[in-house]
Amino acid sequence: MAANTRFAVALHVLGFLAYAGAPVSTSEQLAASVNTNPVVIRRLLASLREAGLVASQAGPGGGWRLERSAEDISLADVYRAIEDEPLFAMPARDPSDACDVGAHVQAVFDPLAGEAEAALIERLEDTSIADMVVEIALRVGPCPIDQHEIEHQPSLGAMT
């Protein structure tokens, strides 16, 4: 079973847009940073655009930019924009009703899964894309792409 990486890639893309400080970045630049195909990035950017997190600029010198400030984009905003499936899901096939466990496991697990996802979203609300970028800058310094200055703030600790 492969893990879903859409959320992690979305954080990477938004972090790149905030960290680089360039007015716009192309899907090719973003894909090179993620080390994936630009088509994958464009599909992801479409979801982020629908959520109002990024906007595109057409034409020569065009590309993608943050639609809101990095401080105003929580990791929960990104999670909700990207993840259209529940965090935990039962198998596609229904278990056997003839089995006591099979007949009741979903009813027992669903409330736990809902609580776990709510706790995750609550934690993600506490961290912004800007917080993530500050953590990166504290580790490596200002972005070498255009020497954009990142304000060094105290480490978040929880991000490490």
Side-chain angles (χ1 to χ4, degrees):
M1 219 178 304
N4 181 340
T5 61
R6 287 173 44 88
F7 179 61
V9 172
L11 293 179
H12 185 141
V13 165
L14 294 171
F16 183 96
L17 292 172
Y19 186 62
V24 295
S25 297
T26 67
S27 54
E28 288 77 13
Q29 291 168 322
L30 295 166
S33 179
V34 175
N35 196 21
T36 192
N37 190 298
V39 172
V40 171
I41 298 301
R42 284 193 279 280
R43 286 184 189 136
L44 188 68
L45 287 164
S47 295
L48 295 172
R49 178 177 42 208
E50 285 178 30
L53 303 180
V54 298
S56 60
Q57 181 177 315
W64 294 88
R65 61 177 168 74
L66 295 179
E67 181 69 358
R68 301 183 343 219
S69 74
E71 293 84 9
D72 293 333
I73 301 173
S74 75
L75 273 55
D77 294 332
V78 181
Y79 180 81
R80 285 188 286 266
I82 296 303
E83 298 301 337
D84 52 3
E85 299 290 327
L87 182 59
F88 301 106
M90 297 301 286
R93 295 178 131 183
D94 289 333
S96 171
D97 286 336
C99 171
D100 289 342
V101 173
H104 299 282
V105 68
Q106 188 165 357
V108 171
F109 181 70
D110 280 350
L112 296 171
E115 290 172 21
E117 188 162 16
L120 170 66
I121 291 171
E122 183 177 330
R123 175 61 182 98
L124 294 175
E125 284 287 357
D126 295 337
T127 306
S128 71
I129 294 296
D131 295 330
M132 189 178 73
V133 168
V134 165
E135 275 298 312
I136 292 167
L138 288 171
R139 292 168 188 252
V140 298
C143 182
I145 294 172
D146 69 350
Q147 298 300 312
H148 180 70
E149 291 295 322
I150 302 286
E151 180 178 310
H152 293 289
Q153 298 179 7
S155 176
L156 299 176
M159 292 288 294
T160 57

